[in-house]
């Protein structure tokens, strides 16, 4: 039987409401020793808020707050849980927690509430991982996709594939193990049809990963251009505040600066680089080398030029660097000044004429980037976003392909089924059905305390 864990579930800054959370059999009675509503808290009605006084270790009243008991199995963890909704003073919450610990609770570790929910079958591993993704979501789309996965979208997508493979294996073992029973033997067509269906479903899921990765992690993007082209001004304009110092002295941005920037529904992890130019001194030379490296590592390069000046060799070097990235576009900046560069001079399929100073022309960017990186996908949990899940599903898909090849080559069905069982093991890792404990430990370490 599990012990009683307790934690502060809310942030460390003063705020309107702060929550103390407990889970484990008997946690309502334990809480009742420090939280005193009119009726004993142990007898409080299920899932109904009651008002009471919270006491510190010395017995002093430290808050008037609301408490709620959710009795097993109808709770987040599947065990008896308690939440105390207090005023959001970090000092008071710390004193309240101390009081609960003194009464016999144990400080919860990171993700321990969700781990209990997983162990008690309230969530599968894809849903547990969605909890972290929901907390970490940096855009509304990322949150919506995580919410869909918390609701079981991946579990529902993977379940039928797993069940189909289970049927295949169990039927096959029945044929092998009970040769005297009159069990219909497998035809190669039946086996190959089942493998085709499983393979297609997995490929469809795996194909969503690139967009899902952009949704969850953002797109690595880099601003490239000669000094004074307006890169820092553009980053500030897109970020919506002055993240980088802007001066008209060339070389002010000496190192790379990274900033998450939302452009429409797309999250860019935007790096502003030291301008690419003939290096004037050792520090700047380092900055230039980093710019070129940033371009090679980026998924999107935004080449920026000062279109009020004719193009120079420095611009051409920046164009070369930008072309190293898988996707690139040109921003002809300073459109508020008379133009000296025409968009057709720039060797990019996409050229936007913009002004970082006035914001003109930048409204075309969201639709463009959404089309490139997110597409029309509904963010309902159907996008695979998690590298661990991708890795395991990829292994499952490869095992299915091996099984199909084996079947074509006339390998005996029992050898084919070894691959099928490997695919099932990999699928089980995704949902947590067959996952190793060290892997689950690593997953729950990513959680915050109190979740
Ligand atoms: P960086 O070196 O490429 O990062 O360029 P900065 O962003 O530091 O800008 C260099 C200079 O150009 C600063 O004086 C900016 O105020 C100016 N600047 C940047 N964007 C524009 C623009 O769209 N129009 C005009 N007129 N000036 C701009």
């Amino acid at each position: 039987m599990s012990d009683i864990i307790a934690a502060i579930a809310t942030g460390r800054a003063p705020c309107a409401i702060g929550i103390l959370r407990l889970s484990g059999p008997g946690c309502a009675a334990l809480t009742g020793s420090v939280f005193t509503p009119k009726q004993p808290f142990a007898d409080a009605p299920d899932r109904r808020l009651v008002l009471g006084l919270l006491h510190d270790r010395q017995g002093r009243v430290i808050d008037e707050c609301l408490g709620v008991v959710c009795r097993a199995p109808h709770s987040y963890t599947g065990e008896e849980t308690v939440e105390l909704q207090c005023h959001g003073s970090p000092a008071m919450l710390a004193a309240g927690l101390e009081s609960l610990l003194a009464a016999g609770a144990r400080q919860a570790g990171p993700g321990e509430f969700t781990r209990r929910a997983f162990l008690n079958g309230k969530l599968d591993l894809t849903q547990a991982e969605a909890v972290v993704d929901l907390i970490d979501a940096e855009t509304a789309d990322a949150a919506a996709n995580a919410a869909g996965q918390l609701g079981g979208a991946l579990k529902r997508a993977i379940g039928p594939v797993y069940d189909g493979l289970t049927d295949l294996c169990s039927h096959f073992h029945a044929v092998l193990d009970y040769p005297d029973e009159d069990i219909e033997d497998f035809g190669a067509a039946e086996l190959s049809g089942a493998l085709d269906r499983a393979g297609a479903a997995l490929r469809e899921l795996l194909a969503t990963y690139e967009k899902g990765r952009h949704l969850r992690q953002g797109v690595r993007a880099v601003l490239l251009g000669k000094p004074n082209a307006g890169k820092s001004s553009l980053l500030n304009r897109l970020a919506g505040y002055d993240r980088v110092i802007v001066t008209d002295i060339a070389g002010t941005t000496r190192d790379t600066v990274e900033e998450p920037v939302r452009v429409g529904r797309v999250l860019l992890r935007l790096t502003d680089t030291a301008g690419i130019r003939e290096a004037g001194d050792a520090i700047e030379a380092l900055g230039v080398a980093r710019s070129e490296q940033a371009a090679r590592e980026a998924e999107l390069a935004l080449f920026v030029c000062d279109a009020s000046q004719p193009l120079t060799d420095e611009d051409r070097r920046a164009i070369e660097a930008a072309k190293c990235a898988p996707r690139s576009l040109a921003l002809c900046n300073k459109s508020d000044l008379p133009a000296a560069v025409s968009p057709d001079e720039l060797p990019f399929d996409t050229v936007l004429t913009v002004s970082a100073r006035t914001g003109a022309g930048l409204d075309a960017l969201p639709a463009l980037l959404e089309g490139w990186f997110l597409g029309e996908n509904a963010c309902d949990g159907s996008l695979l976003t998690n590298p661990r899940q991708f890795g395991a599903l990829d292994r499952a898909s490869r095992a299915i392909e091996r099984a199909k090849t084996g079947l074509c080559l006339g390998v005996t069905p029992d050898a084919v089924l070894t691959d099928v069982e490997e695919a099932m093991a990999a699928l089980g890792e995704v949902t947590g059905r067959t996952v190793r404990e060290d892997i689950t430990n690593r997953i729950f370490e990513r959680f915050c305390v109190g979740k």
Side-chain angles (χ1 to χ4, degrees), residues 30-152:
L30 181 147
T31 306
S33 65
V34 298
F35 172 65
T36 51
K38 281 206 191 87
Q39 308 295 328
F41 190 54
D43 304 330
D46 193 36
R47 287 180 284 167
R48 192 99 58 79
L49 288 167
V50 292
L51 183 67
L53 299 173
L54 179 64
H55 303 261
D56 70 6
R57 278 185 82 164
Q58 287 73 39
R60 293 176 305 187
V61 172
I62 50 170
D63 197 11
E64 186 182 42
C65 58
L66 292 166
V68 62
V69 187
C70 297
R71 296 198 167 78
H74 305 294
S75 72
Y76 180 72
T77 58
E79 308 173 326
E80 184 171 297
T81 61
V82 165
E83 277 186 22
L84 294 176
Q85 303 183 358
C86 310
H87 294 96
S89 146
M92 184 276 291
L93 289 169
L97 177 63
E98 207 179 281
S99 180
L100 290 165
L101 299 181
R106 170 173 69 74
Q107 168 69 58
E112 207 171 348
F113 291 89
T114 311
R115 176 194 278 272
R116 287 188 177 192
F118 167 64
L119 293 175
N120 290 328
K122 299 293 276 188
L123 303 172
D124 80 347
L125 213 46
T126 65
Q127 292 171 301
E129 287 180 305
V131 172
V132 189
D133 289 345
L134 196 50
I135 293 171
D136 291 348
E138 290 180 73
T139 63
D141 280 2
N145 197 61
Q149 294 188 352
L150 183 57

Side-chain angles (χ1 to χ4, degrees), residues 227-233 246-248 333-334 336-337 355-357:
N228 271 355
K231 299 178 296 300
S232 305
S233 306
V246 171
T247 71
D248 51 10
N333 190 32
K334 309 199 187 181
D336 52 299
L337 299 177
S355 167
R357 178 156 293 173

Side-chain angles (χ1 to χ4, degrees), residues 33-349:
S33 65
V34 298
F35 172 65
T36 51
K38 281 206 191 87
Q39 308 295 328
F41 190 54
D43 304 330
D46 193 36
R47 287 180 284 167
R48 192 99 58 79
L49 288 167
V50 292
L51 183 67
L53 299 173
L54 179 64
H55 303 261
D56 70 6
R57 278 185 82 164
Q58 287 73 39
R60 293 176 305 187
V61 172
I62 50 170
D63 197 11
E64 186 182 42
C65 58
L66 292 166
V68 62
V69 187
C70 297
R71 296 198 167 78
H74 305 294
S75 72
Y76 180 72
T77 58
E79 308 173 326
E80 184 171 297
T81 61
V82 165
E83 277 186 22
L84 294 176
Q85 303 183 358
C86 310
H87 294 96
S89 146
M92 184 276 291
L93 289 169
L97 177 63
E98 207 179 281
S99 180
L100 290 165
L101 299 181
R106 170 173 69 74
Q107 168 69 58
E112 207 171 348
F113 291 89
T114 311
R115 176 194 278 272
R116 287 188 177 192
F118 167 64
L119 293 175
N120 290 328
K122 299 293 276 188
L123 303 172
D124 80 347
L125 213 46
T126 65
Q127 292 171 301
E129 287 180 305
V131 172
V132 189
D133 289 345
L134 196 50
I135 293 171
D136 291 348
E138 290 180 73
T139 63
D141 280 2
N145 197 61
Q149 294 188 352
L150 183 57
L154 276 183
K155 187 165 84 169
R156 284 192 294 277
I158 294 168
V161 181
Y162 190 92
D163 292 345
L165 297 177
T166 311
D167 285 349
L168 206 66
C169 289
S170 54
H171 187 121
F172 182 76
H173 285 299
V175 172
L176 272 191
D177 297 345
Y178 303 100
D180 299 337
E181 300 288 325
D182 198 14
I183 303 170
E184 203 182 317
D185 202 357
F186 269 144
E190 187 185 346
L191 197 52
S192 115
L195 292 177
D196 282 346
R197 280 192 298 282
L202 290 179
R203 276 197 306 280
E204 198 181 315
L205 201 51
L206 287 167
T208 66
Y209 181 59
E210 197 186 333
K211 298 227 158 59
R213 195 169 52 82
H214 290 143
L215 192 68
R216 179 169 178 257
Q217 297 168 8
V219 175
R220 283 191 314 281
V222 61
L223 286 163
L224 294 167
K226 72 179 180 194
N228 271 355
K231 299 178 296 300
S232 305
S233 306
L234 275 164
L235 186 139
N236 289 344
R237 164 73 60 183
L238 293 172
Y241 75 106
D242 285 347
R243 169 67 178 84
V244 190
I245 305 166
V246 171
T247 71
D248 51 10
I249 305 162
T252 314
T253 308
R254 285 306 189 89
D255 203 347
T256 52
V257 175
E258 202 196 293
E259 181 69 9
V261 165
R262 262 171 290 278
V263 181
R265 292 161 45 223
V266 178
L267 177 72
L268 294 184
R269 304 235 169 253
L270 191 56
T271 301
D272 183 16
T273 57
I276 292 192
R277 72 173 201 177
E278 298 311 323
D281 61 36
I283 299 174
E284 207 170 291
L286 199 63
V288 171
R290 286 210 189 145
S291 305
E292 290 182 342
Q293 192 186 339
R296 280 193 293 274
E297 290 169 1
E299 295 164 280
L300 169 70
L302 302 151
F303 164 72
V304 184
C305 70
D306 175 351
S308 71
Q309 308 282 332
L311 292 180
T312 63
D313 284 347
E314 288 168 2
D315 285 309
R316 291 188 188 92
R317 276 190 64 192
I319 290 171
E320 291 295 302
K323 290 282 188 181
C324 300
R327 289 250 187 210
S328 55
L329 64 88
L331 298 171
C332 265
N333 190 32
K334 309 199 187 181
S335 64
D336 52 299
L337 299 177
V341 177
S342 143
D344 358 307
E345 280 180 67
L346 298 169
F348 291 89
D349 293 337

